[in-house]
């Protein structure tokens, strides 16, 4: 007889309960065992992720501070420059030939 989802109970028990399986067998309860699964990429991400993030932020700030002066933390700001063609036009307007 299969239990409905409302009657089911799921839990995680470590290996240190040797008599637990015998207790379930004597009480005529239906149970199943699964071996623990290890997710290595997730473990590496949670372990090394914060260190990589901190090193990345540190590297970013060190690069910004090498700019020196007031250029530190000026992300993507560039000064407008006049092209040589626009300079000629502006000169010709001021001093007619």
């Amino acid at each position: 007889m299969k239990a409905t989802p409302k009657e089911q109970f799921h839990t995680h028990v470590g290996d240190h309960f040797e008599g637990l399986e015998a207790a379930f067998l004597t009480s005529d309860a239906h149970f199943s065992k699964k071996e623990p699964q290890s997710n290595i990429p997730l473990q590496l991400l949670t372990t090394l992720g914060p260190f990589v993030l901190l090193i990345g932020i540190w590297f970013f700030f060190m690069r910004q501070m090498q700019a020196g002066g007031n250029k530190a933390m000026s992300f993507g700001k560039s000064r407008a420059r006049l092209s040589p063609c626009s300079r000629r036009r502006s000169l010709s307007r001021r001093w007619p030939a």
Side-chain angles (χ1 to χ4, degrees):
M1 179 166 119
K2 187 158 178 128
T4 62
K6 288 186 177 183
E7 296 170 344
Q8 290 180 357
F9 181 74
H10 299 275
T11 186
H12 298 279
V13 179
D15 293 335
H16 56 279
F17 293 104
E18 293 90 16
L20 188 62
E21 186 174 351
F24 275 127
L25 289 173
T26 58
S27 68
D28 197 31
H30 297 285
F31 70 97
S32 63
K33 295 188 318 183
K34 292 182 183 176
E35 292 296 321
Q37 298 175 353
S38 65
N39 191 352
I40 293 176
L42 182 62
Q43 289 176 347
L44 284 176
L45 181 67
T46 56
T47 304
L48 298 177
F51 293 112
V52 171
L53 183 66
L54 286 174
I55 289 170
I57 291 171
W58 179 78
F59 182 74
F60 175 74
F61 279 117
M62 290 297 118
R63 297 268 313 213
Q64 288 296 320
M65 288 186 353
Q66 283 180 354
N70 61 357
K71 289 186 178 183
M73 305 303 285
S74 61
F75 309 111
K77 295 178 184 174
S78 64
R79 295 184 176 182
R81 295 187 180 108
L82 294 174
S83 66
C85 296
S86 63
R87 285 183 190 164
R88 282 189 215 140
R89 277 190 236 139
S90 64
L91 290 176
S92 64
R93 288 181 191 155
R94 282 190 234 161
W95 295 294

